[in-house]
Amino acid sequence: MFHLHCTKKLLDRIKPEIAEPGQSDTVLGNWYATVLFWKPQVALLVSERTLLPVLMPLAPAATLARRFRAQLALVLKEHGVPSEFIAQEVWRMDKVKYAKTANRSVVGILNEFVKQAEFWLAAYAYEKGDDDDLLAISVKLAETPCSPLYNSPVSPDRALHELVKDRAQT
């Protein structure tokens, strides 16, 4: 089970039952999400523990959490995460509880990633001729230095690899 903390914009689209904030059973912890009003609309999800970003199509919004597991698996695979870790993480995400945002630092990172994603969208459209390579943009965003991580690995991709490595040693 995992907790998905959504911005008001996203909660208005999904209209889920709101639960009290709690801790997820997953290694990557709670997730934060917002909506990007691109055409087509996109959801941006960020791990509270590593700040790992995941971009995916929003529609249909009602199935976002269910579809998120598959998109997360693709992003983790793209980062070279072992398949055993991916399988365990996705398995633990069998249920979701929606909550309002509670961590202002992560909301700030969401907002920063939105700005950077718009830049990368334009860059990929220019370089590749398509504007919907959400997996590539997710991976690129993960290289961004993030101030909440300055006392640790600095960027979400490095934080992810350190977490996976620590988990493998236990």
Side-chain angles (χ1 to χ4, degrees):
M1 189 257 316
F2 74 105
H3 287 263
L4 184 58
H5 295 262
C6 302
T7 60
K8 182 170 177 5
K9 293 186 292 188
L10 185 55
L11 287 173
D12 289 346
R13 294 293 309 277
I14 299 173
K15 297 179 176 66
E17 182 179 323
I18 306 295
E20 288 298 315
Q23 285 302 311
S24 297
D25 299 336
T26 62
V27 175
L28 293 173
N30 294 338
W31 286 84
Y32 278 66
T34 192
V35 60
L36 286 70
F37 293 103
W38 297 351
K39 294 204 189 282
Q41 293 181 355
V42 171
L44 170 63
L45 297 95
V46 173
S47 162
E48 186 175 36
R49 186 165 292 151
T50 63
L51 303 180
L52 180 72
V54 176
L55 287 163
M56 61 183 287
L58 178 62
T63 64
L64 177 69
R66 190 168 53 242
R67 292 180 296 111
F68 171 58
R69 296 167 51 185
Q71 188 69 14
L72 175 61
L74 290 173
V75 169
L76 292 174
K77 183 177 179 185
E78 194 71 18
H79 281 287
V81 173
S83 58
E84 301 83 30
F85 180 94
I86 296 170
Q88 282 294 315
E89 193 69 6
V90 170
W91 179 75
R92 286 187 178 117
M93 298 174 90
D94 62 331
K95 295 180 185 164
V96 62
K97 287 192 178 181
Y98 292 93
K100 295 179 180 178
T101 58
N103 185 327
R104 289 178 26 192
S105 292
V106 179
V107 172
I109 294 296
L110 271 174
N111 292 331
E112 186 59 34
F113 280 162
V114 167
K115 293 175 193 171
Q116 290 183 27
E118 289 171 354
F119 166 79
W120 287 112
L121 177 72
Y124 276 91
Y126 176 75
E127 290 177 11
K128 292 187 172 183
D130 69 3
D131 61 358
D132 61 351
D133 196 349
L134 300 178
L135 180 61
I137 296 171
S138 297
V139 171
K140 206 67 178 153
L141 288 175
E143 298 171 1
T144 305
C146 297
S147 61
L149 296 173
Y150 282 168
N151 293 333
S152 57
V154 180
S155 64
D157 59 347
R158 291 181 182 172
L160 172 65
H161 288 290
E162 189 172 284
L163 183 66
V164 170
K165 185 176 90 177
D166 290 349
R167 193 70 175 180
Q169 293 174 353
T170 57

